[in-house]
Amino acid sequence: MALTYRIFGSELSPYSVKVRSYFRYKGIPHEWVPRSTRNQAEFERHAKLPLIPLVLAPDGTAMQDSTPIIERMETLHPEPSIHPGDPATAFVSALVEEYADEWGNKPMFHYRWFYEADQESGAERIARSMNPEADAELLAGIRGVVKARMIPRLAFVGSTPATAAQIEGSFHRQLAILERHLEHRPYLFGGRPAFGDLGLFGQLYECSSDPTPGAIIRARAPRTLAWIERMLEPRAEGDWERWDALEPTLLPLLHDEIAGVFLPWSAANARALAGGQKEFTVPLDGRPFTQETQKYHAKSLAALRARYAAVADHAALDPILDRTGIRTWLAARA
């Protein structure tokens, strides 16, 4: 166990299961440590922020934030790579991962805390996982505390009665696109999981576990559900596909979702932060979408733009981004 990583996480955290699937795919020795009162003191001793996942390396180094964790581990364990060999496709994969982390979290959080059945389910599972020794009476009180804490946070991700249709429309659109794309391949970019798979999987795995979005996935997206289950224990089943084979069914995700809602929202958030606004409104799907301004999202957009600028050869990538309407949003002035 001395050379084993320890992942403090939760089955209800999209970013925790994202990191766990990465470790499983790589075959990196690790221990999954469900975050609870049993390990609270140890967690607090190592965590700089009260957030999961927390990964403890064998040398005691503590890592937080799923994307930097994976990027750090990828430098230590480069094979099998989670990045397609073609630089343009690799950037698209990273773009999908960013979309999943920053926008895909909205449907996940919205469904979990917007509808009563999902609220009850989420609160029950969080209460039990965090307090494994609690009796029924104590759990009932904890469930109430969880709901009182989480439901008001809907506004933090932009989920309100006024924006519910936009968030749910994005979810349905994403599922429809994935159903077509996954018809003839096990993973998003071919025969093996990529960075983009990991990001999307984390959010959709959580959706599949909640009553309302889970029922939608089971009824309308059986291929996507099979992919979610495959991503719990991902493995290489073949090679990466060429972009020209991926493009017909993956391009709609880039055009309709990433360029259609995610990047306009992300750019509007960054402009609002730069202008000192506490709240911003941006038109999405023909209707206003209002949300509190978020510092972290502006930081992640800056990192995405830096990744784009660092691409060595734009000859293959830029035509893809132009066809989907993405490239204009990657300019620092957008």
Side-chain angles (χ1 to χ4, degrees):
M1 296 291 287
L3 298 179
T4 298
Y5 288 81
R6 303 182 72 215
I7 305 172
F8 290 78
S10 169
E11 207 68 40
L12 285 95
S13 159
Y15 306 105
S16 295
V17 298
K18 169 188 172 186
V19 167
R20 183 180 66 185
S21 282
Y22 173 82
F23 272 73
R24 287 174 173 177
Y25 176 58
K26 290 287 186 166
I28 301 169
H30 66 279
E31 176 189 3
W32 173 251
V33 184
R35 174 80 174 89
S36 75
T37 53
R38 291 172 177 170
N39 48 57
Q40 182 172 338
E42 183 181 13
F43 177 85
E44 291 177 349
R45 187 163 64 250
H46 294 285
K48 292 182 179 179
L49 296 170
L51 302 173
I52 51 176
L54 165 71
V55 174
L56 285 184
D59 65 0
T61 301
M63 296 178 280
Q64 290 183 279
D65 195 337
S66 65
T67 298
I69 289 170
I70 290 174
E71 290 177 334
R72 171 59 178 159
M73 296 303 297
E74 193 70 2
T75 66
L76 301 174
H77 301 270
E79 297 298 333
S81 178
I82 59 168
H83 302 299
D86 169 52
T89 309
F91 180 83
V92 171
S93 172
L95 182 61
V96 171
E97 190 267 352
E98 177 74 4
Y99 155 78
D101 275 8
E102 306 304 325
W103 179 268
N105 183 251
K106 293 184 184 301
M108 190 286 295
F109 199 91
H110 163 79
Y111 276 115
R112 180 164 287 174
W113 301 111
F114 194 81
Y115 295 106
E116 184 176 358
D118 302 273
Q119 293 168 0
E120 294 298 329
S121 172
E124 170 74 17
R125 288 179 290 153
I126 289 173
R128 286 189 179 278
S129 65
M130 288 294 293
N131 304 271
E133 279 88 21
D135 59 22
E137 183 179 356
L138 181 56
L139 281 173
I142 295 171
R143 287 197 301 271
V145 171
V146 171
K147 288 191 291 183
R149 181 184 181 192
M150 301 305 292
I151 293 172
R153 292 188 179 187
L154 283 166
F156 187 75
V157 300
S159 170
T160 66
T163 62
Q166 289 151 295
I167 293 173
E168 294 181 16
S170 173
F171 176 70
H172 283 273
R173 190 164 51 235
Q174 181 192 109
L175 288 182
I177 292 168
L178 291 178
E179 273 302 283
R180 291 191 297 271
H181 184 65
L182 292 168
E183 182 176 4
H184 300 299
R185 54 184 59 86
Y187 299 102
L188 297 183
F189 293 88
R192 55 189 59 202
F195 203 17
D197 287 91
L198 290 162
L200 266 183
F201 153 73
Q203 306 298 338
L204 289 177
Y205 172 71
E206 297 303 330
C207 288
S208 73
S209 76
D210 290 327
T212 301
I216 295 169
I217 292 173
R218 287 188 292 275
R220 304 184 184 183
R223 297 188 191 105
T224 304
L225 182 60
W227 166 79
I228 291 169
E229 294 169 349
R230 193 177 301 122
M231 282 297 299
L232 285 167
E233 298 278 356
R235 60 187 178 89
E237 301 179 24
D239 294 327
W240 304 113
E241 290 186 45
R242 291 168 50 93
W243 175 254
D244 57 4
L246 298 167
E247 183 174 30
T249 50
L250 192 56
L251 208 69
L253 184 67
L254 308 186
H255 180 275
D256 299 349
E257 279 292 295
I258 295 178
V261 290
F262 166 52
L263 288 174
W265 163 82
S266 187
N269 176 75
R271 290 194 300 269
L273 182 67
Q277 300 170 243
K278 293 184 178 181
E279 185 179 89
F280 69 95
T281 299
V282 58
L284 298 179
D285 286 342
R287 297 186 299 276
F289 186 98
T290 300
Q291 182 179 345
E292 296 177 20
T293 306
Q294 307 292 330
K295 290 183 179 180
Y296 184 86
H297 294 311
K299 180 181 177 182
S300 66
L301 176 61
L304 179 64
R305 287 169 168 168
R307 184 189 284 268
Y308 169 70
V311 172
D313 184 2
H314 286 257
L317 176 60
D318 283 353
I320 298 170
L321 302 183
D322 286 337
R323 284 196 296 277
T324 56
I326 287 174
R327 186 150 73 115
T328 184
W329 297 107
L330 296 180
R333 64 183 180 278

